[in-house]
Amino acid sequence: MGSPGFTQQLNKSKLETLSKAEDRCDIFDILKNRFLSFKSKYIENVEQFENLAKAQAPKFMVIACADSRVCPSNILGFQPGEAFVIRNVANLVPTFESGPSEVNAALEFAVNTLQVENILVIGHSCCGGIRALMSMEDDANGSFIHNWVIVGKNARKKTEAAASTLSFDDKCRHCEKESINHSLVNLLTYPWIEEKVANGKLYVHGGYYDFIKCSFEKWTLDYQGTKLEEDGRIAAKNKVLWC
């Protein structure tokens, strides 16, 4: 039967397991209630959802960070059917030449099949992925995070050149915005994206959500004014700040 001490330890372990199980139930009860709340909205708008079941025609493709604090549907109020969304660490876009990835698969589907009219890349304050990019060693061994955020290495180089005297936190904030523009440049390496942008059939935008100040900056890439051969710098237009 074991010693009294062993029995006490076993009982304590059972109680802890039961407590954890109850916590999990509480968590899923919350999700259940949220789903039922959504279902009531579904029933109120059943015709809209029946149409969405047949096809989707979103105006936006959104590329956002996987960070739990920056859900684009919460921030910008996208409703079902309005935005085709992909999220990854640090909202990065690899170049066309980088080869297959979930990002360019989503781009291909959104642009060529869904015929979206806008691509919006959203970055944010206090981004852990950007901090990883800014703090990693150039010769670091290849962790999954390192191998992904290295996509933004040119944004890091530009930040180091432009903000060398700033603190590390300020450098990260600078790079958070620089990496968005870097992703906009990378979008233009896809021939079928650049062609549509050049013909005015597709627009690419940058967005920056500061969740400390609760503000949102938006700008649009000016294709005619952008000279990619000059260090990949973009020209921006229609800059706005919502606060």
Side-chain angles (χ1 to χ4, degrees):
M1 294 296 291
S3 67
F6 175 80
T7 304
Q8 283 182 335
Q9 185 178 0
L10 186 62
N11 289 337
K12 181 181 179 183
S13 177
K14 286 180 178 179
L15 287 172
E16 288 175 349
T17 302
L18 181 61
S19 176
K20 289 178 181 177
E22 288 174 346
D23 286 345
R24 285 197 294 272
C25 289
D26 289 343
I27 289 171
F28 281 97
D29 281 344
I30 291 170
L31 295 184
K32 172 189 171 183
N33 291 334
R34 290 176 182 174
F35 171 74
L36 294 177
S37 177
F38 164 76
K39 188 172 182 179
S40 66
K41 296 176 183 176
Y42 181 101
I43 293 170
E44 291 171 5
N45 300 278
V46 66
E47 185 177 349
Q48 174 191 353
F49 285 100
E50 286 176 348
N51 290 333
L52 286 174
K54 298 171 186 174
Q56 59 173 321
K59 300 293 185 185
F60 278 89
M61 178 182 183
V62 175
I63 301 169
C65 186
D67 193 302
S68 63
R69 301 166 291 182
V70 294
C71 175
S73 294
N74 264 3
I75 299 165
L76 298 177
F78 286 116
Q79 299 302 303
E82 291 184 346
F84 186 77
V85 180
I86 184 166
R87 299 176 68 178
N88 63 55
V89 173
N91 44 271
L92 297 172
V93 177
T95 62
F96 177 78
E97 295 79 13
S98 297
S101 73
E102 74 283 1
V103 176
N104 47 40
L107 281 168
E108 183 177 55
F109 181 69
V111 173
N112 294 337
T113 301
L114 296 179
Q115 304 281 313
V116 296
E117 297 173 5
N118 301 275
I119 300 175
L120 174 61
V121 180
I122 303 175
H124 66 94
S125 58
C126 305
C127 181
I130 295 299
R131 290 185 76 85
L133 172 65
M134 290 299 297
S135 60
M136 71 182 185
E137 300 293 334
D138 291 334
D139 57 351
N141 58 4
S143 69
F144 289 128
I145 293 175
H146 176 276
N147 289 339
W148 172 249
V149 298
I150 199 68
V151 169
K153 62 182 178 182
N154 287 342
R156 175 186 170 177
K157 289 178 182 177
K158 290 179 183 176
T159 296
E160 292 289 4
S164 59
T165 61
L166 299 181
S167 68
F168 180 74
D169 286 345
D170 287 339
K171 284 181 181 178
C172 287
R173 183 175 177 84
H174 188 282
C175 192
E176 285 163 358
K177 296 183 179 181
E178 189 64 61
S179 69
I180 299 168
N181 286 333
H182 177 61
S183 287
L184 300 186
V185 169
N186 283 355
L187 285 172
L188 296 181
T189 65
Y190 295 79
W192 24 273
I193 290 180
E194 183 175 18
E195 180 183 1
K196 289 194 173 188
V197 172
N199 293 332
K201 295 181 179 179
L202 177 66
Y203 298 91
V204 295
H205 316 272
Y208 181 79
Y209 170 52
D210 186 330
F211 61 73
I212 297 173
K213 298 178 179 178
C214 195
S215 62
F216 192 92
E217 298 175 54
K218 192 280 298 180
W219 61 95
T220 300
L221 180 139
D222 181 355
Y223 179 77
Q224 300 300 327
T226 296
K227 297 180 180 179
L228 297 181
E229 68 276 7
E230 293 183 4
D231 198 25
R233 296 194 178 277
I234 76 160
K237 61 182 180 180
N238 300 333
K239 297 180 182 180
V240 294
L241 172 64
W242 304 328
C243 58

